[in-house]
Amino acid sequence: MSDRLTLLRPDDWHIHLRDGTSLARTVPDAARAFGRAIVMPNLVPPVRNVVEAVDYRQRILAARPATSRFEPLMTLYLTDRTSPEEIRAAKAHGVVHAAKLYPAGATTNSDAGVTSIDNIFPVLETMAEVGLPLLVHGEVTHSEIDVFDREKRFIDDNLTRIVERLPTLKVVFEHITTHDAVQFVEASGSNVGATITAHHLLYNRNHMLVGGIRPHFYCLPILKRHTHQEALLAAATSGNPKFFLGTDSAPHARHAKEAACGCAGCYTAYAAIELYAEAFEQRNALDRLEAFASHHGADFYGLPRNTEYITLIRKEWTAPASLTFGEHSLVPLRAGEKLRWRLLEENT
Ligand SMILES: NC(=O)N[C@@H](CC(=O)O)C(=O)O
Ligand SMILES: [Zn+2]
Ligand SMILES: [Zn+2]
């Protein structure tokens, strides 16, 4: 088996870059391998309109390494008050590539999210009409629903209804974690796709909970049982163009993760493509990585594929124990452990 892997430059279709001093960490890390990234809007306050998206994009561009051509693709955060006019304005402007549905209370910085999807059907209709994709954090939030069942319940209670009522709306079911989500996406039309993270391909809930509770594996949707991990691996390596790369790299400072009530999110951007390569290699599917990482997402969004290439080499290295993150430190996924692949950085 070859020790070099050359791929068309991949894109990340789901990333959290945060803001302020965090950008000095997150933007160069994303730009080392990815040509573009769909930038999540869950800032405090969230990115709710085109003016805020344009300003945020400028702050990201200012944090790019000097020679980088990394392109942030901006998104809007849907609230109960988002208007169809805002959607039209965003589409007309051009920097906004999608709008994100966070059920209120489902995840980090989702308090301003949507309290009931019935409140946003007029907005979703406008999105379908103008061709702006809907990105979904697909979990219900009712306290009586078990945290491991929240994705499945979201499909049954909400996503099925959205897709039936708006058959032309492009929908990305973000960071899917279950066999149920894989089946839903496979059974839907070509307007429905899904992102899959590296950590949900590499890990299951045993990694988080056996032998001690490991806060750096805690993310939302939460890691599921091994059979779900297997379903995600099968989907990602299947060659089906509905499934594409989205890291959901979501940094939280060390003190916010290693706490009595730790934040949800795993930081993978520093070695994301390497982690995906490892997952694909486990399935003997390295030949399928390029399509998943570099073709399917661009095709789904109707954007041109990248034209440059990157090279990964099989070379063991040790992930840093911690990274600088503004005035704080950040413990990345795999901290202090071995990684099997490494990006040849001269390509970035
Ligand atoms: N995935 C996570 O666990 N956290 C994300 C939010 C999200 O994508 O749900 C974050 O912004 O920290
Ligand atoms: Zn999410
Ligand atoms: Zn996310």
Side-chain angles (χ1 to χ4, degrees):
M1 182 167 279
S2 169
D3 287 340
R4 285 174 88 88
L5 186 63
T6 295
L7 307 173
L8 196 64
R9 185 180 289 283
D11 302 300
D12 185 349
W13 300 98
H14 181 139
I15 196 167
H16 300 270
L17 297 175
R18 310 302 192 207
D19 206 352
T21 55
S22 302
L23 295 174
R25 166 89 269 143
T26 57
V27 176
D29 279 357
R32 55 192 273 290
F34 297 118
R36 295 165 289 193
I38 283 279
V39 179
M40 289 296 141
N42 61 333
L43 306 180
V44 187
V47 181
R48 283 158 302 190
N49 55 55
V50 67
V51 173
E52 289 168 348
V54 167
D55 287 352
Y56 184 30
R57 180 169 177 273
Q58 286 307 323
R59 299 194 293 279
I60 296 167
L61 292 178
R64 281 192 311 194
T67 58
S68 170
R69 275 170 290 168
F70 173 73
E71 188 58 40
L73 308 175
M74 309 313 292
T75 62
L76 294 189
Y77 183 113
L78 296 175
T79 74
D80 288 341
R81 295 210 181 88
T82 306
S83 67
E85 291 69 39
E86 198 59 65
I87 298 296
R88 287 185 200 281
K91 178 70 186 182
H93 188 284
V95 298
V96 171
H97 289 263
K100 179 78 188 266
L101 165 57
Y102 289 101
T107 187
T108 305
N109 301 340
S110 62
D111 296 350
V114 172
T115 57
S116 163
I117 59 162
D118 295 310
N119 296 335
I120 58 160
F121 268 111
V123 162
L124 298 183
E125 275 160 17
T126 305
M127 289 170 62
E129 184 196 320
V130 302
L132 193 73
L134 173 71
L135 316 183
V136 182
H137 180 109
E139 289 193 290
V140 295
T141 56
H142 326 298
S143 58
E144 72 275 15
I145 308 297
D146 191 280
V147 68
F148 291 98
D149 298 333
R150 288 180 176 201
E151 185 173 278
K152 163 94 172 81
R153 272 301 281 270
F154 188 87
I155 298 170
D156 299 342
D157 293 0
N158 296 309
L159 207 47
T160 304
R161 209 146 55 91
I162 292 173
V163 168
E164 274 173 15
R165 190 151 151 194
L166 297 152
T168 61
L169 178 66
K170 277 193 195 178
V171 178
V172 183
F173 195 172
E174 298 291 340
H175 48 43
I176 57 169
T177 64
T178 58
H179 180 59
D180 312 276
V182 169
Q183 280 185 325
F184 175 82
V185 171
E186 283 173 348
S188 300
S190 59
N191 58 313
V192 178
T195 53
I196 305 180
T197 78
H199 46 285
H200 288 98
L201 293 175
L202 289 166
Y203 300 109
N204 60 64
R205 65 198 196 183
N206 275 14
H207 296 99
M208 178 175 58
L209 294 170
V210 172
I213 185 159
R214 292 176 171 76
H216 298 291
F217 284 105
Y218 175 62
C219 65
L220 289 169
I222 199 161
L223 291 169
K224 305 296 192 299
R225 62 169 66 241
H226 179 241
T227 48
H228 293 295
Q229 181 193 359
E230 287 291 311
L232 298 173
L233 278 163
T237 60
S238 67
N240 185 336
K242 287 164 158 281
F243 299 105
F244 42 89
L245 186 157
T247 61
D248 193 21
S249 181
H252 293 273
R254 177 180 199 136
H255 67 86
K257 295 283 295 172
E258 298 177 9
C261 184
C263 293
C266 299
Y267 190 67
T268 52
Y270 79 106
I273 193 67
E274 291 92 334
L275 291 164
Y276 280 104
E278 208 171 295
F280 274 63
E281 188 172 35
Q282 280 173 18
R283 300 282 287 204
N284 281 320
L286 278 174
D287 58 331
R288 298 269 169 95
L289 180 60
E290 185 179 48
F292 175 81
S294 318
H295 299 168
H296 296 168
D299 296 353
F300 184 91
Y301 275 85
L303 294 169
R305 295 178 183 175
N306 292 322
T307 51
E308 296 165 10
Y309 286 82
I310 62 162
T311 298
L312 296 171
I313 48 174
R314 190 199 305 279
K315 183 168 180 258
E316 208 173 76
W317 59 292
T318 303
S322 93
L323 300 167
T324 52
F325 186 51
E327 58 273 35
H328 300 292
S329 66
L330 171 64
V331 179
L333 197 81
R334 272 296 180 64
E337 290 175 44
K338 298 267 189 283
L339 287 156
R340 295 169 56 80
W341 288 89
R342 186 152 209 181
L343 182 72
L344 263 184
E345 295 273 356
E346 69 219 28
N347 285 303
T348 58

